[in-house]
Amino acid sequence: NAGVTQTPKFRILKIGQSMTLQCTQDMNHNYMYWYRQDPGMGLKLIYYSVGAGITDKGEVPNGYNVSRSTTEDFPLRLELAAPSQTSVYFCASSYSYGSYEQYFGPGTRLTVT
Amino acid sequence: GENVEQHPSTLSVQEGDSAVIKCTYSDSASNYFPWYKQELGKRPQLIIDIRSNVGEKKDQRIAVTLNKTAKHFSLHITETQPEDSAVYFCAAINQLIWGAGTKLIIKP
């Protein structure tokens, strides 16, 4: 099992550019999550999904979009990147909702300049 | 809105001593309380969790206690070792809200 994988590991974007962060899990988990972690700070939930075709907003969804067409994949789209989106992005998955361990990917370090 | 407060933000203890980190949550319907450890440059990983029908859970040197009435839960690490140095996070409200993290420093 590879677990949760994310690509790319690092990315530098110019202001106004767009990109998609990829996340894939091979544990057949229905639940998937996207977080951002600013330097020295905690995790903020951006979006989550309870299954293919179903997504919902977390604490900080503005400036991001997600889709979930398969159980395995949960890409995060940044449109019109801004310096405030400079952060480390973690994808996670869990067997079920709420009271189950979340398994995290290795993260994507994004810088917007 | 719902929130989770975690204290302290930084904790420095002598190797071999104990460390305690506390989280307070706002939603009385929360019923699952995990603690994750994040080493420098790594991803968060679950180290211990507790459900609302239990008051305490232990796993070797780490333990979590829960006070549902007061809406707080704590992580206890005994006989701290250098490898315990990391940032620790709590979460509540179906893990949708996370604490800001505690940086634990173990002094040799």
Side-chain angles (χ1 to χ4, degrees):
Chain A
N1 272 359
V4 180
T5 57
Q6 293 182 237
T7 56
K9 285 188 170 55
F10 305 94
R11 183 72 186 268
I12 299 174
L13 279 183
K14 292 193 188 310
I15 294 170
Q17 288 185 322
S18 300
M19 77 165 293
T20 299
L21 281 66
Q22 301 291 347
C23 175
T24 300
Q25 53 92 9
D26 63 359
M27 296 176 281
N28 203 31
H29 285 167
N30 281 324
Y31 294 78
M32 296 187 74
Y33 314 81
W34 273 107
Y35 295 91
R36 59 176 288 171
Q37 184 176 35
D38 297 337
M41 303 292 284
L43 296 163
K44 298 284 188 183
L45 183 65
I46 305 171
Y47 272 96
Y48 65 103
S49 170
V50 303
I54 306 169
T55 63
D56 207 349
K57 296 178 181 179
E59 222 181 332
V60 291
N62 291 344
Y64 306 94
N65 278 302
V66 294
S67 59
R68 185 98 181 269
S69 55
T70 67
T71 299
E72 295 78 20
D73 300 307
F74 190 38
L76 177 71
R77 178 83 178 160
L78 278 73
E79 305 281 1
L80 299 174
S84 60
Q85 293 178 304
T86 294
S87 192
V88 178
Y89 291 84
F90 286 101
C91 177
S93 73
S94 66
Y95 169 73
S96 189
Y97 175 71
S99 56
Y100 289 84
E101 177 178 2
Q102 291 190 23
Y103 295 84
F104 285 80
T108 294
R109 186 175 296 274
L110 176 67
T111 302
V112 182
T113 62
Chain B
E2 305 294 356
N3 74 314
V4 175
E5 291 187 3
Q6 183 174 344
H7 297 282
S9 56
T10 304
L11 179 60
S12 183
V13 302
Q14 207 69 38
E15 183 178 346
D17 287 351
S18 295
V20 181
I21 303 168
K22 183 176 175 179
C23 275
T24 304
Y25 59 96
S26 58
D27 182 10
S28 56
S30 289
N31 58 12
Y32 176 71
F33 308 93
W35 285 96
Y36 287 78
K37 176 183 181 182
Q38 185 180 30
E39 295 176 357
L40 189 63
K42 301 283 183 66
R43 72 192 80 184
Q45 290 188 293
L46 181 74
I47 55 170
I48 195 166
D49 56 13
I50 193 168
R51 298 176 198 274
S52 59
N53 57 347
V54 176
E56 182 177 3
K57 182 178 178 181
K58 281 185 181 177
D59 183 3
Q60 298 181 13
R61 294 187 298 108
I62 60 173
V64 54
T65 57
L66 171 64
N67 183 328
K68 280 222 78 178
T69 304
K71 292 190 281 186
H72 67 72
F73 58 110
S74 299
L75 175 69
H76 305 255
I77 305 175
T78 59
E79 300 172 15
T80 53
Q81 299 171 5
E83 55 264 34
D84 295 329
S85 292
V87 178
Y88 293 81
F89 294 100
C90 64
I93 312 166
N94 290 317
Q95 294 190 84
L96 298 182
I97 308 290
W98 290 63
T102 297
K103 183 175 183 179
L104 178 61
I105 301 165
I106 308 300
K107 298 181 289 186

